[in-house]
Amino acid sequence: MTAHSASRRPRRKPGEAREALVTTAREVFIEVGYQGASLRQIAAKAGTTQAILYRYFPSKAELFAESVLGPVQAFVRTLTDDWREISTAQVSTPDLIAGFSESIYDFAVTHRGLIAALLAAHAHGDGFTADAKASLTRTINDLVARGREESTGRGWADIDVDVALPATMALIISTAMLNDWLFPPEIGLDRERILKELIRYEVRAITGGDR
């Protein structure tokens, strides 16, 4: 075996290089942010070359959209699809709110770094193409549209779903993101207690009742 052949990278199966780039990019964007990340760094860490990276992602913005924005959109789409499979008769409003809140809270806690990278890029005007912004807006609007479909059957006629649903999501996400500051471990508030009160707050606001 020659030194040249020994130094060659092992041949990857189709799609493996792209998957490695997306996974590595997500880690790098979370660690150093959009501005701090370089495509050279991402390619090297993924065990490939910039030339191969550019074959899949012509720009850093497109790689950011796939690796950071993509999982957030996928989660919201799943939330919407799951809601479409539930009828008013099957699940009560308090139980619907509880499931909705638990899913968003757990996603935000688990993917705190991902959401922080997304928010930082948006705040600084980095990493967001017009197409990426439009795509994220459509994804959220699909969820809101599902809320409007449910509003009559669930007695939400007096609620402005276009405002209430995104605002409720923001409340849950921000609580999860700031969990360590708002509820430091020494005060003894666990996930169950935090969610119980969040859900009760939302149920009262939406239905006027309690859970």
Side-chain angles (χ1 to χ4, degrees):
M1 182 183 291
T2 66
H4 176 70
S5 62
S7 65
R8 284 180 187 166
R9 295 185 178 92
R11 185 181 295 276
R12 283 173 159 153
K13 295 178 182 178
E16 282 187 350
R18 189 182 191 282
E19 183 178 345
L21 284 166
V22 171
T23 300
T24 302
R26 185 177 302 124
E27 295 169 356
V28 172
F29 284 130
I30 289 173
E31 183 179 353
V32 301
Y34 183 85
Q35 284 189 324
S38 74
L39 296 182
R40 183 191 299 268
Q41 172 193 19
I42 291 169
K45 195 171 179 180
T48 188
T49 65
Q50 276 188 276
I52 291 176
L53 186 154
Y54 281 123
R55 185 184 303 168
Y56 295 110
F57 303 101
S59 70
K60 185 161 76 168
E62 290 182 52
L63 181 55
F64 183 82
E66 176 78 12
S67 61
V68 176
L69 181 59
V72 175
Q73 286 189 279
F75 168 73
V76 177
R77 288 191 189 108
T78 298
L79 207 61
T80 305
D81 291 342
D82 288 348
W83 195 359
R84 287 198 175 108
E85 294 178 3
I86 297 172
S87 70
T88 305
Q90 288 176 313
V91 179
S92 68
T93 294
D95 285 344
L96 178 70
I97 293 170
F100 181 84
S101 301
E102 289 167 3
S103 295
I104 295 174
Y105 183 88
D106 289 341
F107 179 85
V109 168
T110 302
H111 300 285
R112 188 177 297 168
L114 191 75
I115 297 171
L118 189 65
L119 293 174
H122 183 263
H124 296 291
D126 298 324
F128 275 87
T129 63
D131 287 345
K133 288 180 181 178
S135 179
L136 179 58
T137 298
R138 284 194 300 271
T139 303
I140 294 173
N141 284 347
D142 284 344
L143 182 63
V144 173
R146 177 56 183 149
R148 285 197 298 268
E149 291 169 5
E150 287 272 284
S151 62
T152 302
R154 292 191 179 271
W156 299 346
D158 61 335
I159 295 174
D160 188 343
V161 176
D162 290 6
V163 175
L165 187 51
T168 301
M169 291 178 68
L171 169 67
I172 300 166
I173 292 168
S174 59
T175 300
M177 294 288 291
L178 300 174
N179 195 8
D180 293 341
W181 292 356
L182 298 173
F183 315 113
E186 57 267 24
I187 67 175
L189 293 178
D190 58 15
R191 170 190 178 274
E192 285 69 28
R193 188 173 168 188
I194 294 166
L195 273 169
K196 180 180 178 181
E197 195 56 35
L198 265 176
I199 292 165
R200 185 165 67 167
Y201 176 86
E202 294 164 35
V203 170
R204 283 183 173 179
I206 293 172
T207 69
D210 207 343
R211 186 169 192 261

